[in-house]
Amino acid sequence: MKSGPIVMIEDDDDDKEIIVQVLNDLKVPNLVHWFISSSEAFKYLKETPEKPFLILCDVNLPGLSGIEFKKEIDSDPQLRKKSIPFVFYSTSIAQSAVDEAYIQMTVQGFFQKGDHYEEIKKTIDLIVSYWKVCRHPNSEQ
């Protein structure tokens, strides 16, 4: 397992708790750094010497939306160079947001939150399993 933390930007406490429980149930050993706002997450990403394993981001956030947050990351040379996999995980997904994410940004996934625990667990397992084996510029050698 790649050892960097999972960066989660999620403003809903219930969703956060479910995702953390799913990660525990899946025995994902990575620490989770949880941020309520994208501005806090951006500051962390700019300042941390850690190599995050994955960014899991809601679309609908207070202040800067997830879409706007990803655009900020893409426009920052330091953060683009870090090549941190970025996945949207959101309750409501408008096709226009999906189109914007894939056409105007370098997003690596867009998933809708499930309604039931097992559905959520299956999706999170798929995301984490994929990034454990995927090679990208930030992959551990």
Side-chain angles (χ1 to χ4, degrees):
M1 179 66 151
K2 295 174 184 175
S3 61
I6 295 172
V7 176
M8 183 168 57
I9 304 93
E10 174 59 66
D11 65 326
D12 184 295
D13 284 336
D14 293 335
D15 286 348
K16 178 237 179 191
E17 293 302 322
I18 290 169
I19 294 168
V20 168
Q21 183 60 50
V22 163
L23 292 168
N24 287 334
D25 287 352
L26 293 170
K27 298 183 180 3
V28 175
N30 305 65
L31 291 175
V32 176
H33 294 310
W34 174 50
F35 299 93
I36 295 171
S37 75
S38 52
S39 59
E40 293 172 351
F42 189 83
K43 182 178 183 208
Y44 163 78
L45 292 170
K46 288 286 287 181
E47 295 174 357
T48 186
E50 296 179 302
K51 291 185 177 182
F53 167 62
L54 173 70
I55 298 171
L56 195 60
C57 185
D58 195 355
V59 172
N60 303 310
L61 296 167
L64 214 59
S65 73
I67 297 283
E68 294 165 326
F69 172 55
K70 180 57 174 145
K71 287 180 180 178
E72 291 282 318
I73 290 172
D74 284 353
S75 67
D76 186 285
Q78 174 192 356
L79 292 180
R80 278 189 65 96
K81 188 173 183 180
K82 286 187 177 185
S83 301
I84 306 163
F86 190 104
V87 175
F88 283 114
Y89 187 64
S90 194
T91 303
S92 59
I93 298 181
Q95 186 60 44
S96 59
V98 175
D99 292 347
E100 184 175 9
Y102 281 99
I103 295 169
Q104 297 180 21
M105 295 175 264
T106 59
V107 67
Q108 286 81 34
F110 212 124
F111 297 86
Q112 188 164 14
K113 292 177 185 172
D115 294 327
H116 307 288
Y117 188 80
E118 287 304 316
E119 191 179 353
I120 295 166
K121 186 176 176 182
K122 183 178 176 182
T123 301
I124 297 295
D125 186 36
L126 176 74
I127 293 167
V128 171
S129 295
Y130 176 86
W131 287 107
K132 282 194 312 191
V133 297
C134 182
R135 300 291 300 170
H136 58 89
N138 199 28
S139 296
E140 295 176 2
Q141 300 296 331

